[in-house]
């Protein structure tokens, strides 16, 4: 199954658990607040598409709520509004075929470097386990919805989904944590708009959190 098809299979699953999580969150106390920075790109060791280039920087605010504890594992909800800024360029003008209206104008416009902004709200589900006294392993799964402000040959302007899977480690220092991890992401619109080739991304992320007493 390709990443392009992931939204179709995960949307209902995540929507169901998101509704449950939000309902439970009202009865849980806020445990941590934090910020996270992510840097990712399309062309990497997992994905390679010579038709275009896409690089993004993501800035997230994070609110952490504990939902359940399963033995040595903690199951947490992360509410994370975010802003993404990306650089995009179509490298292969012939990706725009001659049967498209105004294809010459599209080729000229889309082969120029462009800056894209994406505003999104994401719910993350985190499994966390202590490895040593101060070191914790984390696996994070997230789904969000947002708005992308520039149309490209791969994605229409407007509503979009984001999906993320992250693996990493958090190091605890007194009442704070420093997090380092790797992220696999996808951006698409579930075929709700005309252009939906989407973006597949791989990158790294770093975060800082403070415990709330």
């Amino acid at each position: 199954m390709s990443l392009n098809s992931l939204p179709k299979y995960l949307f209902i699953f995540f929507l169901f658990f998101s509704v449950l999580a939000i309902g439970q969150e009202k009865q849980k106390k806020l445990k941590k607040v934090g910020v996270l920075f992510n840097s990712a790109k399309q062309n990497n060791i997992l994905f390679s598409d010579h038709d275009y280039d896409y690089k993004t920087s993501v800035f997230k605010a994070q609110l952490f709520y504990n939902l359940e504890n399963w033995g040595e594992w903690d199951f947490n909800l992360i509410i994370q509004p975010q802003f993404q800024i990306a650089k995009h360029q179509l490298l292969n003008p012939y990706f725009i075929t001659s049967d498209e209206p105004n294809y010459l104008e599209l080729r000229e416009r889309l082969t120029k470097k462009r800056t894209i902004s994406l505003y999104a709200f994401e719910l993350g589900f985190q499994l966390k386990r202590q490895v040593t006294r101060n070191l914790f392993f984390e696996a994070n799964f997230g789904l969000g919805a947002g708005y992308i402000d520039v149309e490209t040959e791969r994605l229409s302007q407007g509503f979009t989904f984001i999906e993320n899977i992250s693996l990493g480690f958090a190091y605890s220092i007194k009442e704070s944590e420093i997090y380092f991890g790797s992220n696999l992401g996808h951006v698409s619109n579930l075929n709700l708009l005309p252009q939906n080739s989407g973006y597949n991304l791989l990158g790294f992320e770093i975060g800082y959190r403070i415990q709330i007493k």
Side-chain angles (χ1 to χ4, degrees):
M1 180 177 62
S2 67
L3 280 179
N4 288 341
S5 65
L6 275 177
K8 298 178 182 179
Y9 297 98
L10 294 180
F11 174 65
I12 296 177
F13 173 82
F14 274 104
L15 180 62
F16 174 74
F17 281 97
S18 297
V19 172
L20 291 180
I22 292 174
Q24 291 190 36
E25 174 268 325
K26 295 180 180 179
Q27 302 177 0
K28 302 291 183 177
K29 291 184 178 180
L30 179 66
K31 299 298 183 180
K32 299 174 189 174
V33 297
V35 292
L36 183 138
F37 170 75
N38 173 281
S39 178
K41 60 183 181 179
Q42 161 72 27
N43 291 310
N44 50 65
I45 60 174
L46 294 183
F47 311 114
S48 181
D49 192 329
H50 300 294
D51 286 334
Y52 74 103
D53 186 49
Y54 186 88
K55 299 176 183 176
T56 185
S57 297
V58 184
F59 305 88
K60 298 183 182 182
Q62 297 181 305
L63 304 175
F64 294 81
Y65 295 85
N66 178 247
L67 298 181
E68 298 291 343
N69 300 100
W70 300 319
E72 297 181 348
W73 291 93
D74 294 333
F75 181 48
N76 304 313
L77 168 69
I78 313 174
I79 297 176
Q80 39 196 4
Q82 61 197 261
F83 168 68
Q84 302 186 20
I85 184 165
K87 300 292 184 179
H88 171 274
Q89 184 178 17
L90 176 63
L91 302 177
N92 176 18
Y94 299 103
F95 184 88
I96 308 296
T97 58
S98 59
D99 59 345
E100 295 192 38
N102 303 317
Y103 73 95
L104 292 177
E105 185 273 332
L106 287 174
R107 287 176 180 176
E108 181 180 0
R109 177 164 57 89
L110 294 176
T111 50
K112 297 177 181 179
K113 288 186 178 181
R114 315 180 80 195
T115 300
I116 300 172
S117 296
L118 194 160
Y119 308 87
F121 179 85
E122 180 184 6
L123 291 177
F125 298 90
Q126 179 192 77
L127 287 172
K128 184 172 183 177
R129 179 173 180 172
Q130 188 171 13
V131 179
T132 66
R133 180 179 177 181
N134 298 100
L135 188 67
F136 297 82
F137 168 76
E138 297 182 4
N140 303 293
F141 309 88
L143 177 72
Y147 175 85
I148 191 165
D149 71 344
V150 174
E151 180 174 277
T152 69
E153 78 284 354
R154 300 190 63 83
L155 199 62
S156 296
Q157 178 185 359
F159 179 80
T160 187
F161 283 107
I162 58 172
E163 302 89 37
N164 290 293
I165 299 174
S166 301
L167 298 175
F169 293 90
Y171 187 79
S172 176
I173 305 173
K174 294 184 179 180
E175 296 179 356
S176 62
E177 287 181 347
I178 298 176
Y179 168 79
F180 297 93
S182 181
N183 171 264
L184 183 68
H186 179 71
V187 181
S188 66
N189 58 42
L190 205 63
N191 288 323
L192 298 176
L193 297 173
Q195 303 295 334
N196 189 41
S197 296
Y199 304 107
N200 301 320
L201 302 163
L202 178 67
F204 71 91
E205 51 193 17
I206 181 171
Y208 178 76
R209 304 129 179 201
I210 300 175
Q211 294 182 7
I212 302 297
K213 293 185 178 179

